[in-house]
Amino acid sequence: MVARTQSSAAGIIALLSEPEPLLKRHALKSLNAVVPQFWAEISESIELIESLYESDELSQDARDAAALLASKVYYYLGEYDEALSFALNAGSAFEHEGVTPGAEEYVETVISKALDRYVEARGKVANISGIDMKLQGIIEGILRRCIRDGEYKQAIGIAIESHRLDIIADIYRLTKDPALLSYAMDAVLDAGTSLSYRDEILCFILPLFPPASSKDRSPHVHSVTRLLVTLSSPELTIPLLTAFVPNEKLLAYQFAFDLVEGGAQDFLESVKSGLPEGDAETKPIFDTIREILAGQESVKLYLEFLRRNDKTDMLVLKHTKDSLEPRSSIYHTALTLQNAFMHAGTTSDIFLRDNLEWLGLASNWSKFSATAALGVIHKGHFNEGMNILGPYLPQQGVPDSGIPGAAYSEGGSLYALGLINAGCGSGQTIEGYLRDALKAATNEVVQHGAALGLGVAGMGGKNTDAYDDLKTTLYNDSAVSGEAAGYAMGLVMLGTGNVDYAEEMLQYAKETAHEKIIRGLAVGVALIFYGRQEQADKITKDLLAEKDPILRYGGVYTLALAYAGTSDNAAIRKLLHVAVSDTSDDVRRAAVTALAFLLFKNPSQVPRIVQLLSESYNPHVRCGATLALGIACAGTGLQDAIDILQPMTKDGTDFVRQGAYIALGMILVQQSEASSPALAPTRAAYNKVISNKHEDPMARFGAVLGQGLIDAGGRNVTISLQSRAGSRNTSAIVGMVLFCQFWYWYPLAHCASLAFEPTGIIGLDENLRAPVFEFVSNARPSLFAYPKPTEPPKKEAVTKVATAVLSTTAKAKAREKKKAAAEGDQMDTDEKEKKDVEMKTEDSPTTEKHGDISPITGSISNLADAPTSEPTSERLQNFSRVTPAQMAHITFPSDCRYQPVRLVSPHPAPTRRSFKTLVAIEKFAGGGGILLLVDQQPTEEPSYIEFSAVAAAPAMAEEDPRASSPVRHIALDESAQEATPPESFEYPFDNDT
């Protein structure tokens, strides 16, 4: 017999009006079971149900059932707040509903609303006692269930959102797992938490981490380093470092090197000055830590790494030089930038020395850029910086050399000096030199270079004297020098969030008539509020409401830098709104580009966000989308981003194609053909566009820059906006912001070098010397191999081709021969006649070999073409290149004499199945770099790597930069001394053949 389906709840609803409490209780429980089918019918009696909940005549379980019934009806009506209120009063009835089949969606929705209300209430009330106890009970129950089921990360997330830090401590005491503390830290840093609450959580988490030890290679060293860099608190950092001295001095050195990777200059200086002097035993250790914290030791090691492993393909540069018109300023600047990027940090200026004639064609601002390129090439070459640039620096006591065009090389050399000392010049001698040069200069071009150099070298130094010198230059109201001063003022006060400085700069921006100055000041204000999050909200709102589009442009970058790396949803919504609604194309382009600075920690999200923007009718929006993809996905080889960019290389607008070529170079840096199938087509596209003289100059400019970026730093650097510790890479973020200004001013493109991150493993022992040792990369060598060098075009030997004649001609000649022979004539026709080739109508039998002849069977086979099996691992030497994706595959064999004091990478090695996906999406933040090593065999004599000798620098002229010198140097001045003519010789004409 088939059961009849219920078609109405009217009969059950009628029982609610019965006077007997038992009938009402039965009706309430019966209605709870049929609410999903008859909620519309039941909703007509909602007032009666609410009255039953409030009735004193019913038992407690009946009242709970009435509250649960009302909650369900309101849930189906879409009144979620009312549904939550009645669910809170349902008591045990709601708890039992959680295990009822079919009620999962209702329960999850109510719990979600309960969490939202609890988080909102905890944000307003500091004490738990001020929260509704029923709401508190539901949240406590959720947390207990998560902990019981082992869902610790979910519980930590709820605890962070609801300001329940005690839950984090309870979970750690239960599990003793530092990885959960690292997860909590990542959740705070990557979720756009307010600054005050962020610092509160981090200060709470830090003491919970167990003490680091070199014996177990503590895996949480990366997390502690990131935490300290984020807090930038000397009070927390100094006790940590001193606790390692003297027993764990290698770990202290490792922490110092890791802090330098992401720490601001003023923070490192405070830590350095706050370290104790120590006694006879510990003083050398503290002195070494101070030397490391100065930052120059790390740069010197990376400089040696780049110099030793330089794999720059000179044929690429030669091809670009031969394809571009050297007298065109844009092409000359493009090749200058390409050479600077490809040789960044390698100290190799061989291309410039071999192409002095091309270099001499530079004039005006091309000469400025060409000289500044030396700063990119010799970046980090602190000791020889002044000697290298000596022939071009302005002479002391000589305000104007009087040499035509000398101001451009002098200004460029001062800019180059800043690039050499980028991020390490604050408080150093070089900062004083640049300040003096700025004050002594009378030419606006020299002032421009000095201001940019001072800003880049003193980045984040917060030197008020340097700021005042730059302000004096700004008040000269020169468009050229004033623009550079605006950028530099922001660089010097980077991240201070000083409202007085910002208002002072904006006031002058509103008074001046020079757009260049306004733009420099607008970006300078953005730099001041770097990383300040909600503290920048007011000034961002004011700037975005300005009538001047240049100030709105500054407002976009202020918002992006204030929330850099946070993926803040509110900031993303604002930028997207500006990108589709602003009346200025420049502002819209900047708004789309600025998305990269918010989302670079989550590169896989960027293609999805900018997909529609890349198809916009506005070419400026499309251009912004290309740069957003390039900056956010730099170095990842993300295929989703490449799929968007490749069609944009055929866009109808030249500057969109330019942006697409540049972005592809950023994304594919340090990718191999085995890991990224788009690499070879992209390189071929670069060559094709550069060679095509009919292509638009802007697109060719973009292809040249992209080609330089894809092979940056001798193919030994990547582009990364976060440090190895996982924190924001301040220099890289600032460098990319300034690079984006190449749209208006090409020399600022040199600042892209600030984002170049050397990728290698540099092992040091306790004496900070580099021993000889090997480690293992557990991956196929082809996945992370250097690109094959370009092969020069083969010169085919001209061979004499035999004359082809028709068969009828051959037959006629044959008849003549036959006739002559018959007549008995002894003619020598056959001997003198050329050997003609008869054209056959049928193919001659092939004589080509299609394979090797087997020595066993004598048959033809394809033995030569048979693929050889590739090894699954390789052994690498100290100072070898190790790409970020490769870092998770690196291991130190147990029998290796040297073992690192911390893990090479905080990420586990990916499985073979997930590797391809992981390469594309994961940023591989952390790992590698400079590693301190424990010597397992201290009694044996170590073998050290001999550092290469410093390349000979051009002679620095003492009196006149044009003075002759036995050392050949690059002359950019047209009036410089000419090269010595070759000796006379007599050509041996008699030997001609």
Side-chain angles (χ1 to χ4, degrees):
M1 182 176 180
V2 180
R4 295 176 61 185
T5 59
Q6 189 174 351
S7 60
S8 174
I12 304 176
I13 295 173
L15 294 177
L16 297 176
S17 302
E18 292 292 329
E20 181 60 42
L22 288 176
L23 291 175
K24 293 179 181 178
R25 178 174 175 272
H26 171 74
L28 289 170
K29 290 189 174 182
S30 299
L31 287 172
N32 267 314
V34 296
V35 171
Q37 292 82 25
F38 304 111
W39 61 268
E41 190 175 356
I42 299 171
S43 65
E44 296 177 0
S45 304
I46 189 65
E47 294 181 359
L48 176 58
I49 297 171
E50 291 182 13
S51 66
L52 292 176
Y53 157 68
E54 297 171 355
S55 174
D56 295 333
E57 298 177 358
L58 299 178
S59 61
Q60 186 60 47
D61 63 335
R63 294 174 61 187
D64 290 348
L68 179 61
L69 179 59
S71 175
K72 285 185 173 183
V73 171
Y74 279 120
Y75 162 73
Y76 283 105
L77 289 172
E79 299 289 342
Y80 298 125
D81 291 334
E82 291 293 332
L84 173 60
S85 298
F86 280 100
L88 292 176
N89 293 302
S92 60
F94 181 74
E95 294 182 10
H96 293 311
E97 190 70 16
V99 295
T100 303
E104 294 85 359
E105 185 177 348
Y106 159 71
V107 174
E108 289 178 4
T109 304
V110 171
I111 288 177
S112 175
K113 289 297 176 182
L115 286 171
D116 291 343
R117 183 177 294 186
Y118 185 73
V119 168
E120 183 181 357
R122 286 288 294 151
K124 297 177 181 177
V125 180
N127 197 342
I128 298 179
S129 59
I131 305 294
D132 182 359
M133 294 305 296
K134 296 175 181 178
L135 180 61
Q136 181 75 25
I138 286 184
I139 301 304
E140 292 286 354
I142 295 170
L143 291 171
R144 284 195 301 270
R145 188 164 62 249
C146 289
I147 295 174
R148 184 183 66 244
D149 297 341
E151 298 288 344
Y152 300 119
K153 292 184 177 181
Q154 187 174 355
I156 288 174
I158 296 173
I160 291 174
E161 287 289 332
S162 58
H163 293 238
R164 291 291 303 276
L165 303 186
D166 57 308
I167 301 296
I168 299 176
D170 292 341
I171 291 175
Y172 178 70
R173 280 192 289 268
L174 177 66
T175 62
K176 298 297 182 184
D177 185 1
L180 293 175
L181 297 178
S182 300
Y183 172 80
M185 181 196 68
D186 292 338
V188 172
L189 295 178
D190 298 339
T193 312
S194 66
L195 281 180
S196 57
Y197 185 45
R198 182 200 72 180
D199 293 347
E200 178 186 350
I201 297 176
L202 296 183
C203 291
F204 179 84
I205 291 176
L206 180 60
L208 297 179
F209 279 103
S213 171
S214 58
K215 295 180 181 179
D216 59 357
R217 292 195 289 177
S218 305
H220 58 274
V221 170
H222 293 94
S223 299
V224 175
T225 304
R226 184 183 181 191
L227 192 151
L228 293 172
V229 167
T230 303
L231 289 174
S232 295
S233 172
E235 293 77 14
L236 296 174
T237 308
I238 293 172
L240 181 73
L241 290 174
T242 54
F244 293 132
V245 180
N247 298 327
E248 291 277 6
K249 66 176 184 179
L250 288 179
L251 208 49
Y253 296 161
Q254 185 67 68
F255 264 104
F257 276 117
D258 290 346
L259 288 172
V260 170
E261 291 285 346
Q265 281 198 53
D266 60 330
F267 164 63
L268 297 174
E269 188 63 34
S270 300
V271 174
K272 188 172 67 170
S273 59
L275 288 172
E277 288 295 326
D279 52 25
E281 180 185 6
T282 60
K283 188 178 187 302
I285 300 176
F286 283 120
D287 290 343
T288 303
I289 295 175
R290 290 190 188 90
E291 182 181 350
I292 295 171
L293 290 173
Q296 298 192 358
E297 190 66 28
S298 298
V299 178
K300 290 177 183 176
L301 290 169
Y302 286 127
L303 188 71
E304 176 65 22
F305 164 76
L306 293 174
R307 185 188 294 135
R308 296 175 67 89
N309 296 287
D310 184 13
K311 295 289 191 299
T312 303
D313 194 338
M314 299 302 295
L315 286 179
V316 173
L317 287 167
K318 182 179 184 300
H319 172 262
T320 304
K321 173 182 169 292
D322 294 342
S323 301
L324 300 181
E325 171 55 46
R327 295 190 180 276
S328 171
S329 176
I330 184 173
Y331 291 149
H332 198 286
T333 300
L335 182 53
T336 296
L337 292 169
Q338 185 187 65
N339 175 57
F341 292 159
M342 293 176 70
H343 284 105
T346 64
T347 70
S348 172
D349 53 12
I350 184 171
F351 177 78
L352 299 178
R353 294 179 183 274
D354 292 345
N355 295 278
L356 294 178
E357 182 180 353
W358 165 84
L359 197 61
L361 297 175
S363 60
N364 299 336
W365 289 108
S366 295
K367 182 183 295 185
F368 180 95
S369 294
T371 317
L374 293 174
V376 178
I377 294 171
H378 295 278
K379 184 174 178 287
H381 208 172
F382 304 121
N383 297 335
E384 295 294 327
M386 294 292 290
N387 291 337
I388 292 168
L389 297 171
Y392 323 115
L393 291 169
Q395 303 301 305
Q396 294 184 357
V398 183
D400 188 0
S401 62
I403 302 174
Y408 293 97
S409 58
E410 290 176 1
S413 64
L414 292 171
Y415 182 22
L417 203 58
L419 291 169
I420 288 176
N421 296 272
C424 297
S426 181
Q428 305 295 326
T429 307
I430 197 67
E431 187 177 44
Y433 176 83
L434 289 169
R435 285 180 57 201
D436 293 340
L438 178 65
K439 289 184 285 189
T442 57
N443 187 289
E444 62 180 7
V445 177
V446 180
Q447 289 176 339
H448 181 90
L452 287 178
L454 180 57
V456 173
M459 187 193 315
K462 303 176 178 60
N463 188 327
T464 54
D465 294 332
Y467 177 85
D468 291 337
D469 293 340
L470 291 165
K471 185 167 63 173
T472 302
T473 303
L474 173 70
Y475 287 166
N476 291 335
D477 204 39
S478 166
V480 174
S481 60
E483 179 187 27
Y487 290 126
M489 291 163 74
L491 288 169
V492 171
M493 292 298 167
L494 179 70
T496 59
N498 191 304
V499 178
D500 294 334
Y501 290 147
E503 290 181 349
E504 186 178 39
M505 294 166 67
L506 288 176
Q507 183 61 36
Y508 190 80
K510 294 176 182 178
E511 294 174 357
T512 186
H514 297 292
E515 289 188 358
K516 292 172 72 70
I517 295 179
I518 299 172
R519 183 173 296 106
L521 290 170
V523 176
V525 169
L527 294 170
I528 288 177
F529 285 94
Y530 167 74
R532 305 312 296 183
Q533 294 190 17
E534 68 271 8
Q535 296 177 13
D537 286 349
K538 182 180 182 302
I539 195 164
T540 299
K541 182 179 179 181
D542 293 341
L543 286 171
L544 291 176
E546 288 284 346
K547 292 183 179 180
D548 189 343
I550 301 178
L551 292 180
R552 297 202 303 274
Y553 179 91
V556 165
Y557 275 104
T558 304
L559 179 63
L561 288 178
Y563 289 93
T566 64
S567 303
D568 186 81
N569 288 328
I572 293 172
R573 281 195 298 269
K574 285 182 183 177
L575 289 176
L576 290 174
H577 175 71
V578 173
V580 298
S581 64
D582 200 276
T583 58
S584 169
D585 287 336
D586 286 352
V587 178
R588 297 178 70 174
R589 184 185 66 253
V592 181
T593 303
L595 289 170
F597 298 103
L598 292 171
L599 295 166
F600 64 80
K601 290 184 180 178
N602 300 292
S604 58
Q605 294 184 11
V606 181
R608 177 175 55 85
I609 292 176
V610 304
Q611 171 71 54
L612 291 177
L613 295 172
S614 67
E615 300 170 2
S616 170
Y617 73 93
N618 190 320
H620 290 266
V621 173
R622 300 199 300 272
C623 179
T626 63
L627 291 178
L629 288 168
I631 295 170
C633 305
T636 64
L638 189 63
Q639 190 60 41
D640 289 344
I642 295 171
D643 290 341
I644 295 175
L645 288 169
Q646 284 181 332
M648 300 181 77
T649 59
K650 299 177 175 61
D651 194 278
T653 306
D654 53 357
F655 58 78
V656 177
R657 298 198 300 274
Q658 178 191 67
Y661 289 128
I662 293 174
L664 284 171
M666 292 181 180
I667 294 173
L668 292 172
V669 62
Q670 284 203 336
Q671 300 297 311
S672 67
E673 293 187 14
S675 63
S676 179
L679 183 65
T682 301
R683 289 185 179 276
Y686 285 150
N687 289 331
K688 180 179 179 182
V689 172
I690 293 171
S691 302
N692 186 2
K693 298 184 182 300
H694 302 290
E695 181 62 85
D696 290 311
M698 292 187 72
R700 298 179 79 187
F701 182 90
V704 173
L705 259 63
Q707 201 170 45
L709 291 168
I710 207 172
D711 289 333
R715 294 177 169 172
N716 292 296
V717 302
T718 188
I719 300 173
S720 176
L721 269 59
Q722 56 181 331
S723 69
R724 291 182 179 86
S727 60
R728 289 182 305 229
N729 188 340
T730 300
S731 294
I733 294 171
V734 171
M736 275 298 155
V737 168
L738 294 176
F739 170 76
C740 290
Q741 312 311 312
F742 81 89
W743 181 275
Y744 308 101
W745 197 233
Y746 282 148
L748 291 175
H750 285 301
C751 291
S753 62
L754 301 181
F756 293 169
E757 190 78 17
T759 56
I761 286 184
I762 300 174
L764 304 176
D765 64 4
E766 61 180 0
N767 300 315
L768 301 189
R769 296 188 63 186
V772 176
F773 69 91
E774 290 185 340
F775 55 91
V776 178
S777 171
N778 295 298
R780 292 186 290 116
S782 63
L783 284 174
F784 307 110
Y786 283 105
K788 294 180 180 179
T790 305
E791 295 183 0
K794 296 180 180 179
K795 295 182 178 180
E796 297 182 359
V798 179
T799 57
K800 189 174 182 179
V801 180
T803 305
V805 295
L806 295 174
S807 57
T808 53
T809 307
K811 290 179 181 179
K813 290 184 177 181
R815 285 196 297 271
E816 292 179 359
K817 292 180 185 178
K818 187 176 181 180
K819 183 179 179 181
E823 294 177 354
D825 296 337
Q826 299 298 322
M827 299 175 63
D828 58 351
T829 305
D830 293 340
E831 297 177 3
K832 296 180 181 180
E833 187 180 28
K834 293 182 180 180
K835 295 182 179 179
D836 295 338
V837 178
E838 181 180 358
M839 292 183 65
K840 298 180 184 277
T841 57
E842 297 181 356
D843 293 339
S844 60
T846 178
T847 59
E848 295 181 359
K849 292 183 179 180
H850 291 286
D852 295 341
I853 299 177
S854 171
I856 299 174
T857 64
S859 61
I860 297 176
S861 66
N862 288 324
L863 293 177
D865 300 330
T868 57
S869 59
E870 185 181 2
T872 58
S873 64
E874 62 177 328
R875 300 183 74 89
L876 300 174
Q877 301 287 335
N878 191 11
F879 271 79
S880 292
R881 183 186 89 153
V882 180
T883 67
Q886 187 181 6
M887 209 64 76
H889 300 270
I890 298 300
T891 57
F892 280 68
S894 57
D895 59 347
C896 181
R897 174 176 177 177
Y898 296 94
Q899 295 292 332
V901 297
R902 67 158 167 80
L903 292 178
V904 176
S905 172
H907 302 283
T911 62
R912 180 174 297 183
R913 180 177 297 179
S914 64
F915 175 73
K916 188 172 182 179
T917 304
L918 193 59
V919 169
I921 296 176
E922 182 60 56
K923 283 292 288 184
F924 295 94
I930 300 172
L931 294 175
L932 270 296
L933 306 171
V934 178
D935 190 352
Q936 308 282 2
Q937 303 167 9
T939 57
E940 297 184 9
E941 188 68 23
S943 176
Y944 291 108
I945 294 175
E946 294 295 331
F947 283 9
S948 56
V950 177
M956 182 174 178
E958 297 181 359
E959 298 294 336
D960 186 351
R962 296 171 293 170
S964 61
S965 170
V967 182
R968 184 186 183 198
H969 66 267
I970 306 165
L972 296 178
D973 296 328
E974 292 89 340
S975 54
Q977 181 176 351
E978 296 181 356
T980 305
E983 297 179 0
S984 58
F985 66 99
E986 188 170 331
Y987 188 82
F989 292 100
D990 296 338
N991 295 337
D992 286 354
T993 56

